[in-house]
Amino acid sequence: MAHTNRAVRVAGTWLAIASVLMVAALVFHGPISPDLNDQMRKIADGAIRWSVVHWIAAAALSLYALTGLVVLTSGSHLTEGWWTMTAWAVLPVSALWTMTTGVVEATVVASAAVSGTKETFEAWWAFAAGKATGFAFLALAVAVIAGNEARSSERATPAWSAWIAMVAGVASFAGWALGMWFGVAVGNLLWVASSILMSVWTLWFGVAMMRSRSNAI
């Protein structure tokens, strides 16, 4: 039990920090333009901000990965179910997958936008966008985790907040699919807004895990 409690508190600490960083990154990131030329111009006009935002995102994603690994070894009720264990396993895989996007965006993409090297920008943007698909599955993992929290009799956050987070996770996935896969501009706005809401809940959940003193969580 002592190991379980300690592991949950450690995971909660990293989840809370990751969530704060992710909220900050998303707020300053903003929606992605469906027009690649417009997006390249936006990055070039704020290259330093773009780089900083994506280094922050890369750090947040690294901590999400760390959180998932610690929870999987905690032996807590968070991983008792088949779906919840899968969700906590998807969390580090999708986070590490997407972290590559953050590094690429902060370096070669920003540099190509500033220099106006369109061919380089387009090639690396396509790579980054493909790797960023991991974030959509991270959102689905959070939706499953939140749904489990909402139905649990040992929940650490109010049921209503967990249900909202579950919907936000699904909306984040849908927004990414609409915006990046189908080119629907409103999807990018939906992705940013719902991802921020989802991350606010993971912050709340992380703080609750940090404060855990029993095997209840």
Side-chain angles (χ1 to χ4, degrees), residues 31-48:
I32 300 169
S33 174
D35 185 305
L36 198 57
N37 290 326
D38 182 52
Q39 184 63 43
M40 183 176 177
R41 185 167 52 253
K42 284 170 59 177
I43 295 172
D45 290 343
I48 294 177

Side-chain angles (χ1 to χ4, degrees), residues 47-74:
I48 294 177
R49 178 184 62 82
W50 188 262
S51 293
V52 170
V53 162
H54 283 87
W55 280 122
I56 292 172
L61 290 161
S62 298
L63 295 181
Y64 277 123
L66 180 60
T67 299
L69 293 174
V70 174
V71 169
L72 287 170
T73 61
S74 68

